[in-house]
Amino acid sequence: VPHNPHFPIIAEQDTDLGREVTYMYGQVADRMQACAADSVVFFTSDHYNIFFDTCVPIFSIGVADSTRGPSDYPDLPKYDLRLDPVLARHLQSQVVAAHFDVGMSQEFAVDHTVISPLHFLTPGLTVPVVPIFVSGFMRPLPTAQRCFEFGRALRRAIEEFPGDRRVAVVASGSISLEIGGPRIFEDHHTGVPDPQWLDRVVDLLAEGEFGKLVAHATDSQLARAGNAGGEILDWITMLGMTDPAPPEYLDVQPRFGHAFAAWSPTDGGRR
Amino acid sequence: MSVYAVNKFCRTVVHDQTFRESLRTEPQAALLNAMPPLADDELQALLRGDIGWLSRHGCNNFMLHNLGRFEVLGLDLPTFAARMRAEYRVERESWKRTGEWPERDAGGAAPTTLSEG
């Protein structure tokens, strides 16, 4: 799902865009709620708020008891968010043992990339979250293949979790988006520099061709997609946890350079 | 030109309300207090709101756009965007000619006062 910080407000407005946003998030939220998840593993790329040039992990897991946000939009309502530190620490130890050198964050505030989607997907933000940060902005970025394999390792770690958890997985990010850079629209401070890439990604998602998507998501392609083009790595990490299949729901907002999609468990959700 | 100091300055604008307010009332003094210290050419460019020059010299465009978002240094988002387009006018025309970048507008769907990411 995307994470426009103003979508929660826009969705309350009696406009075509408000209705569209409500419908698209609603389609995903319905499937989330059908999962009756105990916890949500949530992939996002921090927008220079937790991590900055001072310290940039390629992957990091939030292991705190709780957090708060959004940290980057002081004019938006603040939410407290429960986390799942038991599952988070299990995931970190398991994936490190599987040769993924993943950092951890114990005290942090999340930005709009977490709060805005959860506003729609888990009303009241009552479901505990395991935030997993994928470095999608500060180069060098992880490769798409590495992200996909990281997702695979995380899935194995969840399947091996000794406790009882039904886990939903969310990825937050755009597909082609330029924010404040040279390739912005003539009438806005953002742009969609590579609409063909957006179309190709949506086609590959529709076909369940995760491997082809990984192969096409080269670093140069992500750069062409805009300065937020690395956010597709959050999607790709999530797809590593998902059985390759067409999504139950897929929709796109071309003027924003992003898409909505949802997959349900093929086995009914073992855990 | 350190670039890092400018990017860090932009981050402070997002996260430090007191610093933002001082930047609005006493911009030069606030810029002189920025940590790490800004180079003189960086400080002068920021005082001018010259985000084109800063972008050309390697500062992070996403971080720079926060100056427009928080309306400091004489910027707002439309002004920021206009200056960025003006700075890269030649490249933008070239990208359009070569089809490297099929420019179109936002279709009126996204109010100019909003910021995505």
Side-chain angles (χ1 to χ4, degrees):
Chain A
V1 292
H3 53 233
N4 182 307
H6 298 281
F7 273 0
I9 293 169
I10 289 170
E12 291 177 3
Q13 298 169 349
D14 185 21
T15 62
D16 289 345
L17 179 59
R19 284 183 285 277
E20 184 177 289
V21 166
T22 298
Y23 172 79
M24 291 179 174
Y25 271 118
Q27 289 295 311
V28 181
D30 287 348
R31 288 161 176 87
M32 281 279 293
Q33 284 160 27
C35 288
D38 300 306
S39 298
V40 176
V41 167
F42 192 101
F43 295 108
T44 192
S45 295
D46 173 71
H47 285 28
Y48 307 95
N49 294 304
I50 302 171
F51 308 114
F52 186 61
D53 296 1
T54 43
C55 179
V56 187
I58 297 295
F59 301 119
S60 186
I61 298 181
V63 301
D65 291 331
S66 65
T67 183
R68 188 168 168 76
S71 62
D72 54 342
Y73 278 80
D75 51 331
L76 295 181
K78 296 286 184 292
Y79 295 89
D80 293 316
L81 180 61
R82 267 200 307 150
L83 304 182
D84 185 344
V86 174
L87 179 59
R89 286 192 179 276
H90 167 81
L91 294 181
Q92 191 206 9
S93 62
Q94 291 295 106
V95 295
V96 168
H99 311 295
F100 289 88
D101 301 328
V102 176
M104 64 97 164
S105 302
Q106 191 149 235
E107 184 178 1
F108 56 91
V110 290
D111 61 21
H112 70 276
T113 69
V114 177
I115 296 295
S116 181
L118 288 178
H119 167 87
F120 293 99
L121 301 180
T122 59
L125 279 65
T126 52
V127 184
V129 170
V130 177
I132 300 184
F133 304 101
V134 176
S135 183
F137 279 82
M138 288 176 268
R139 283 184 159 72
L141 306 182
T143 64
Q145 184 65 41
R146 184 67 171 163
C147 290
F148 192 73
E149 289 168 4
F150 179 42
R152 285 272 180 261
L154 284 164
R155 177 175 175 156
R156 287 192 296 274
I158 289 173
E159 289 171 346
E160 292 163 4
F161 182 65
D164 186 19
R165 292 282 199 289
R166 287 177 62 84
V167 178
V169 186
V170 174
S172 170
S174 296
I175 294 169
S176 175
L177 181 63
E178 175 97 338
I179 305 162
R183 295 172 294 171
I184 54 178
F185 290 128
E186 285 296 337
D187 60 351
H188 201 253
H189 63 276
T190 68
V192 178
D194 197 345
Q196 294 93 339
W197 172 238
L198 173 64
D199 293 343
R200 198 181 335 151
V201 170
V202 169
D203 286 347
L204 291 170
L205 290 174
E207 294 160 6
E209 292 282 4
F210 298 174
K212 285 185 184 172
L213 174 58
V214 169
H216 291 184
T218 61
D219 189 65
S220 57
Q221 173 56 71
L222 270 48
R224 281 196 300 278
N227 60 3
E231 289 178 352
I232 188 129
L233 296 173
D234 295 299
W235 283 70
I236 287 173
T237 313
M238 177 195 70
L239 295 176
M241 302 180 74
T242 311
D243 293 329
E248 280 189 11
Y249 171 71
L250 177 62
D251 222 333
V252 60
Q253 288 184 305
R255 61 198 180 283
F256 292 107
H258 63 218
F260 296 75
W263 290 258
S264 293
T266 51
D267 59 359
R270 280 172 297 185
R271 192 185 285 277
Chain B
M1 187 75 196
S2 69
V3 174
Y4 174 76
V6 176
N7 292 341
K8 181 104 186 255
F9 164 79
C10 294
R11 185 178 185 277
T12 305
V13 167
V14 176
H15 289 282
D16 188 335
Q17 183 181 356
T18 304
F19 184 72
R20 277 200 305 274
E21 286 168 3
S22 68
L23 196 57
R24 290 184 185 121
T25 54
E26 295 284 346
Q28 184 148 8
L31 288 165
L32 285 168
N33 285 331
M35 288 300 293
L38 296 157
D40 188 57
D41 53 359
E42 294 170 333
L43 190 150
Q44 295 305 324
L46 286 166
L47 272 178
R48 296 193 305 272
D50 192 349
I51 54 93
W53 186 91
L54 292 161
S55 174
R56 285 284 186 201
H57 285 78
C59 298
N60 182 309
N61 295 324
F62 180 92
M63 299 307 289
L64 289 173
H65 112 282
N66 287 314
L67 304 180
R69 184 157 76 88
F70 285 95
E71 300 186 346
V72 296
L73 299 168
L75 296 165
D76 55 19
L77 283 171
T79 307
F80 171 91
R83 291 184 185 178
M84 184 62 73
R85 283 185 213 104
E87 179 65 33
Y88 289 94
R89 183 178 55 83
V90 173
E91 287 95 330
R92 287 168 65 90
E93 287 173 359
S94 169
W95 293 331
K96 278 186 271 186
R97 270 199 311 275
T98 59
E100 188 178 339
W101 173 46
E103 187 194 25
R104 55 191 184 187
D105 64 28
T112 53
T113 53
L114 301 188
S115 180
E116 297 88 32

